[in-house]
Amino acid sequence: MKARSVHDFAGGEFASESVHVLLFKEARAKPDPAAPPPLLVQTNSTRKAERSRNGRGRADNRWKAATGLAGLHAPSSTQATPSVLGLSQELLEIAKHFDPEYYAHEYPDIAPGRDRLLHHFCEVGWREGRNPNAFFDTVSYLSANADVRRSKINPYFHYLRHGMLEGRIASSSVSPSIRSRLLFGVPILDWVERLRPHVDLDFYLAQLEDLDANGLDLAAHFAYRGWREGISPNPSFDIAAWLRAHPAAEWFAVNPLLAQLEAAAGSFDLHVLTEKRDENPAAAAARKPDDAGGELRDQLMSCDFAEPAGHDAALAVVRPHFDEAYYLAAYPDVRSAGVDALLHFFITGWREGRNPSLQFDTKYYLEMNEDVRDANVNPFWHYFISGRSEGRLPRRPGGYRRQIIDAALEPSKRPVPSPVAGEKVFSGAVLARKLGASIKGKKGLVVAISHDCYIRVIGGTQIFIADEQAKFNALGCAYVHISPQIARLTFAPEDSRTLVRVVADGKLVGLFPIAAVREMLKKIAPPGDRRPTLIVHSMMGFTPADVVKLCAALKPERRLYWLHDYFSLCEGFNLLRNDAHFCGAPPETSFACRVCVYGKTRHAHLQGMRTVFEACRFEVASPSAAALEIWQKSTSLPRHNETVHPHWRLAAESPCKKPGGRVGARKRISIAFVGFAAASKGWHLFCDLVQQLQHDRQYKFYHFAAEGTSSLPQVEFVRTEVTAADRFATRRLLAHHAIDVVAVLSPWPETFSYVAHEAVAAGAKILCLTDSGNVAKLVRSLDYGWVVDDAAAVREFFENHVPASLLKKSAPEAAYGIDQTGTSATFGAPAPLSTRPVA
């Protein structure tokens, strides 16, 4: 093979990417030195971490998930050694910023699976000189901070906890793929295996002095760190002498022995490295913060993808197109942090996948333009500098449904929520003591399970469980609730050791191994002959075996399974094919399942469900006839019987005029969206509607949701938090703002919908889709709104067919009150076993 040099690539096969472009692919955008340091932080994440360290906050629940934290449980009291606790804190902190894709790509020699990459970095990777992401170079940080090196603390952990706040400089990563491509013209990823035969382990180990070599791969240490610290791989190759003979080598930051091997193979000309070069610009920028990396930017100015000198010029390009109002509404954590929205997006927001406006999709642009992604430049800036003129698209064509479909992931590939940091795991003895006190003197025992802790999370099912607990307590029964520590939206892996939170009569008991809970359930029982009741609200986060064993341990007289969703039919519990279209739960062998992200695992999922239903023989409780009809048509799961038991009933009252009635015909029509900005609730369709009608003066838009929910600047946000103490907050606030129409645009068949019932009780009409299940049925039965077929029909409704009654002075409306009828406590006596068994 002909020997090549960097100069060959400048005019040959790599002419489209200059040396400086390749360097820029690993260079982190440096902030303006006049900008405050906190802008480098991912807004609230540092503040949350600080509160967590002071015992006043929870861990950030938006950390990256493909990091191996799924298996990290809080250590028990017998395991909570300082070393274990220290490593747990390190894992949890670094997980927020760790990039498993980068780590797996740049270090293919690593044996652990993807779920262990974070652990590898924290345990041995950093000591070998590996980097956690493209923006932090481990060896540079250790070289520049002798105190960190002496402390033997993970340098990235130190930087996140202390160094960043102290103003210490973090250099961009020396990425093996980019550095080797820069020097050789082709990337060499696996440096370790290429160098391993040439590393004399005994010779190398003797040079490590006080470095802890336990668990290290010495070949990897030499490949990424040792040579940069002057350590030679064997007696025949003197690193220091070689670098003196090839002074340009440090500029490229490629392992010298690798360069020597490439030269020996005839694929590289070593003379390239004998020429004296200027200092590595990335390293120079890191050591000279006062000029904000001027040297690097000067060199990059000659490249097509170069960012202009200083932030001022770049910000001037994007400022006219940046929608600050949208950014602050869509990302309330940025708003609460009080930082400049444009600077936040320009420096860190785009790296987090945030969008600068509703018209630009950051993730899509980077996904479709690999050159921009690899160059590590701000995509919004690139679009206006060159992307627009080149015909690149700012967002995905095909509308919001195409965006949802393309973003759909198989359940096994989805991020796993991180456990709460520092949560203590208690023993079975503690559980026995606390539960024993809770059930003492009670007339009965009810054990319920669901996918998350209802006293910590606000939501429809969670409030329903709170209502259920209160009603059972009023009947003199103890109510014990069990939920998994990790709130998955799938079954837990079969080999997982499930930890569960236990709540007794609304008070947290603690976190326990599920085996300890089972043992306790075998021992406790209410007085008399009355056996316990088991209620399953959701099996997400458990394994099928967990539920079967809990039922066997409790030996309940009654076993109820609630159809709050369709998880018993598919892992896609909303029955949305690829998260976008209602599928109707077809047979698992259907073509519809084969083209869906849930199709691969549906057979195994249904087998797990059958195992549970065969063992437990549930009474199936549906909150609506609409949900039960869909369920009956789509399953043959064995059950004892099935019943419709609505959570609420609407009771007709005397008609009354709306609060804050209209002012003639000039009153604007108020349209509201209620709840989190979720695709499964129709948020994207509502956003389209707002964009379509925002300049039409006859409409006004509202968003009723909990504080911190993403929203839109064109709508009036109304903080709405339903709690056990304020059960009807939504109805009260809808009535207070005299809402005309509540858009319940769920694209799947809702099993009940509290929002729809509260809207009717507040005097607001409902606009919903045909596929919205019980919502559409409620609207039709009461004639209290409109049912339309699809998104196009929603737009047409407001453009051309707004009922005249909404534009005129309002007459008294039919009024409805809410009768809280339906929890498990009002379910009635269990049917005899001979009553309507279902195969």
Side-chain angles (χ1 to χ4, degrees):
M1 180 178 181
K2 179 187 173 184
R4 298 173 294 179
S5 72
V6 170
H7 306 292
D8 294 322
F9 306 127
E13 57 184 304
F14 290 93
S16 62
E17 291 188 296
S18 71
V19 169
H20 302 307
V21 171
L22 286 167
L23 275 177
F24 194 63
K25 287 184 179 182
E26 66 172 10
R28 182 182 187 179
K30 301 295 180 182
D32 190 314
L39 289 175
L40 288 173
V41 185
Q42 296 181 7
T43 61
N44 261 4
S45 60
T46 295
R47 290 152 55 105
K48 289 181 179 178
E50 287 296 325
R51 291 200 300 269
S52 178
R53 287 199 292 277
N54 294 326
R56 297 193 300 271
R58 297 181 183 175
D60 189 344
N61 63 357
R62 295 176 299 170
W63 298 341
K64 291 182 179 177
T67 54
L69 280 182
L72 178 65
H73 301 306
S76 67
S77 58
T78 59
Q79 297 172 319
T81 63
S83 62
V84 171
L85 288 174
L87 181 58
S88 297
Q89 293 171 0
E90 182 179 306
L91 285 167
L92 293 168
E93 184 72 27
I94 291 175
K96 303 175 190 178
H97 313 277
F98 183 74
D99 186 344
E101 297 287 346
Y102 172 89
Y103 202 75
H105 179 265
E106 296 296 335
Y107 308 116
D109 61 292
I110 299 174
R114 291 183 57 79
D115 61 336
R116 290 286 303 171
L117 293 178
L118 173 63
H119 290 76
H120 183 276
F121 172 73
C122 291
E123 290 165 3
V124 297
W126 72 265
R127 294 191 288 134
E128 293 171 350
R130 304 181 198 257
N131 303 317
N133 53 46
F135 314 120
F136 183 87
D137 190 65
T138 300
V139 178
S140 296
Y141 195 80
L142 289 171
S143 299
N145 299 281
D147 56 333
V148 179
R149 182 186 176 107
R150 286 193 300 269
S151 70
K152 295 183 173 58
I153 190 174
N154 186 315
Y156 195 43
F157 182 56
H158 178 275
Y159 175 71
L160 295 173
R161 277 292 184 94
H162 308 290
M164 183 162 44
L165 299 176
E166 295 167 358
R168 305 200 193 202
I169 301 302
S171 302
S172 302
S173 295
V174 171
S175 303
S177 63
I178 292 177
R179 287 294 173 166
S180 57
R181 182 182 175 188
L182 176 62
L183 185 58
F184 306 132
V186 291
I188 298 177
L189 282 175
D190 200 342
W191 291 14
V192 177
E193 295 310 313
R194 184 74 184 280
L195 297 172
R196 190 180 300 281
H198 307 279
V199 179
D200 184 326
L201 300 183
D202 292 334
F203 176 84
Y204 192 79
L205 186 60
Q207 301 175 80
L208 293 184
E209 299 175 347
D210 62 341
L211 182 70
D212 178 13
N214 183 38
L216 290 186
D217 181 339
L218 296 182
H221 185 275
F222 167 70
Y224 305 122
R225 177 177 177 179
W227 77 267
R228 296 174 69 183
E229 297 177 347
I231 304 176
S232 299
N234 57 58
S236 303
F237 192 87
D238 187 329
I239 286 288
W242 194 95
L243 289 175
R244 285 194 298 270
H246 305 86
E250 279 193 277
W251 193 90
F252 289 96
V254 172
N255 189 292
L257 182 54
L258 189 65
Q260 187 71 39
L261 294 174
E262 284 293 294
S267 58
F268 176 66
D269 186 353
L270 271 179
H271 287 95
V272 172
L273 301 179
T274 59
E275 178 185 347
K276 178 66 177 176
R277 288 180 175 269
D278 293 334
E279 187 178 25
N280 181 343
R287 283 196 291 275
K288 300 174 183 178
D290 290 341
D291 81 358
E295 180 183 353
L296 177 59
R297 284 197 304 271
D298 289 343
Q299 295 174 357
L300 294 174
M301 278 291 289
S302 63
C303 307
D304 290 339
F305 298 106
E307 184 175 327
H311 280 167
D312 290 344
L315 289 172
V317 171
V318 301
R319 181 174 282 109
H321 312 284
F322 180 77
D323 189 337
E324 180 177 6
Y326 164 81
Y327 197 76
L328 293 176
Y331 309 112
D333 59 324
V334 179
R335 182 181 66 244
S336 63
V339 299
D340 183 279
L342 175 57
L343 283 176
H344 177 270
F345 168 75
F346 191 80
I347 295 171
T348 66
W350 71 270
R351 300 177 193 275
E352 299 165 350
R354 305 187 193 231
N355 297 330
S357 71
L358 201 57
Q359 289 72 42
F360 188 89
D361 187 332
T362 298
K363 292 181 180 178
Y364 168 75
Y365 196 82
L366 291 174
E367 176 187 336
M368 299 305 296
N369 300 287
E370 293 184 4
D371 55 336
V372 180
R373 182 191 65 206
D374 292 347
N376 197 33
V377 298
N378 186 303
F380 198 47
W381 174 83
H382 179 273
Y383 175 72
F384 290 106
I385 285 294
S386 59
R388 180 168 56 177
S389 63
E390 294 166 357
R392 307 194 195 207
L393 297 178
R395 61 178 179 173
R396 192 180 307 275
Y400 74 92
R401 282 187 182 272
R402 183 74 255 169
Q403 180 181 351
I404 294 171
I405 292 170
D406 290 346
L409 287 175
E410 295 176 22
S412 62
K413 296 179 180 178
R414 291 179 179 176
V416 177
S418 300
V420 175
E423 190 171 18
K424 185 178 179 181
V425 181
F426 292 96
S427 66
V430 174
L431 179 66
R433 184 175 69 253
K434 291 188 175 183
L435 278 191
S438 297
I439 67 171
K440 186 177 181 180
K442 298 295 177 66
K443 297 179 181 178
L445 173 64
V446 177
V447 176
I449 69 172
S450 69
H451 74 290
D452 61 16
C453 185
Y454 74 100
I455 64 172
R456 290 185 170 185
V457 180
I458 295 176
T461 301
Q462 293 81 358
I463 292 294
F464 174 79
I465 295 173
D467 290 347
E468 182 176 84
Q469 172 227 310
K471 289 184 180 296
F472 272 117
N473 288 162
L475 295 173
C477 296
Y479 189 90
V480 177
H481 181 266
I482 302 168
S483 61
Q485 180 195 31
I486 300 176
R488 292 178 170 89
L489 297 181
T490 65
F491 278 136
E494 286 296 334
D495 58 351
S496 63
R497 297 173 57 191
T498 308
L499 292 176
V500 294
R501 288 189 189 88
V502 177
V503 174
D505 295 337
K507 296 180 180 178
L508 181 65
V509 177
L511 187 68
F512 303 89
I514 197 168
V517 176
R518 288 199 303 266
E519 289 303 311
M520 184 62 193
L521 292 180
K522 291 179 182 178
K523 299 175 183 177
I524 62 175
D529 296 330
R530 187 172 181 180
R531 287 161 55 196
T533 295
L534 174 66
I535 305 170
V536 177
H537 292 289
S538 174
M539 288 191 274
M540 297 179 196
F542 296 93
T543 68
D546 287 335
V547 182
V548 170
K549 290 177 182 178
L550 280 175
C551 185
L554 187 64
K555 294 182 175 60
E557 176 183 16
R558 194 168 197 184
R559 300 166 299 281
L560 301 179
Y561 182 93
W562 276 95
L563 297 180
H564 295 301
D565 52 42
Y566 302 99
F567 188 65
S568 53
L569 304 179
C570 181
E571 272 185 305
F573 57 88
N574 294 330
L575 297 185
L576 291 175
R577 185 172 63 251
N578 294 319
D579 296 334
H581 300 277
F582 173 54
C583 69
E588 61 186 274
T589 56
S590 67
F591 180 78
C593 282
R594 279 188 282 163
V595 299
C596 178
V597 294
Y598 301 103
K600 285 185 181 179
T601 56
R602 192 172 178 215
H603 176 74
H605 179 79
L606 291 178
Q607 289 296 104
M609 277 293 173
R610 182 165 292 278
T611 298
V612 177
F613 272 71
E614 285 176 348
C616 299
R617 287 283 172 170
F618 293 112
E619 294 177 69
V620 175
S622 176
S624 68
L628 183 59
E629 181 180 355
I630 291 172
W631 193 80
Q632 287 173 323
K633 288 179 179 178
S634 306
T635 187
S636 61
L637 289 174
R639 61 268 192 191
H640 174 45
N641 58 33
E642 53 208 17
T643 308
V644 175
H645 194 57
H647 299 334
W648 288 350
R649 295 186 189 276
L650 291 171
E653 297 178 344
S654 300
C656 62
K657 204 167 185 177
K658 271 192 186 179
R662 312 185 187 290
V663 182
R666 293 189 300 275
K667 167 70 167 62
R668 298 171 71 183
I669 298 172
S670 53
I671 306 169
F673 182 92
V674 180
F676 291 105
S680 62
K681 295 297 182 182
W683 173 251
H684 293 79
L685 182 51
F686 182 74
C687 289
D688 280 359
L689 186 63
V690 172
Q691 291 296 110
Q692 171 198 351
L693 302 175
Q694 61 180 316
H695 301 300
D696 190 330
R697 298 298 300 168
Q698 68 178 333
Y699 298 111
K700 183 175 181 180
F701 293 93
Y702 292 81
H703 184 188
F704 294 77
E707 185 68 26
T709 302
S710 178
S711 191
L712 290 172
Q714 301 95 328
V715 307
E716 181 175 330
F717 186 86
V718 180
R719 179 179 176 179
T720 309
E721 295 182 353
V722 178
T723 65
D726 193 3
R727 188 66 185 83
F728 297 106
T730 302
R731 181 184 65 178
R732 172 172 51 79
L733 291 170
L734 289 173
H736 176 76
H737 289 274
I739 298 301
D740 296 305
V741 180
V742 173
V744 187
L745 301 173
S746 307
W748 65 286
E750 295 263 13
T751 58
F752 182 71
S753 181
Y754 283 116
V755 169
H757 286 73
E758 290 170 306
V760 171
K765 297 293 181 70
I766 298 171
L767 177 69
C768 67
L769 300 178
T770 303
D771 287 336
S772 60
N774 194 52
V775 181
K777 185 169 184 178
L778 179 71
V779 170
R780 290 184 174 120
S781 65
L782 298 178
D783 191 21
Y784 217 82
W786 308 271
V787 180
V788 298
D789 289 334
D790 51 26
V794 171
R795 290 190 291 270
E796 184 183 7
F797 175 84
F798 283 102
E799 283 181 343
N800 305 316
H801 302 292
V802 176
S805 61
L806 287 176
L807 300 175
K808 296 177 181 178
K809 199 167 185 177
S810 139
E813 299 278 8
Y816 294 90
I818 293 175
D819 181 8
Q820 290 179 276
T821 53
T823 70
S824 304
T826 58
F827 203 75
L833 290 178
S834 59
T835 301
R836 203 185 169 201
V838 184

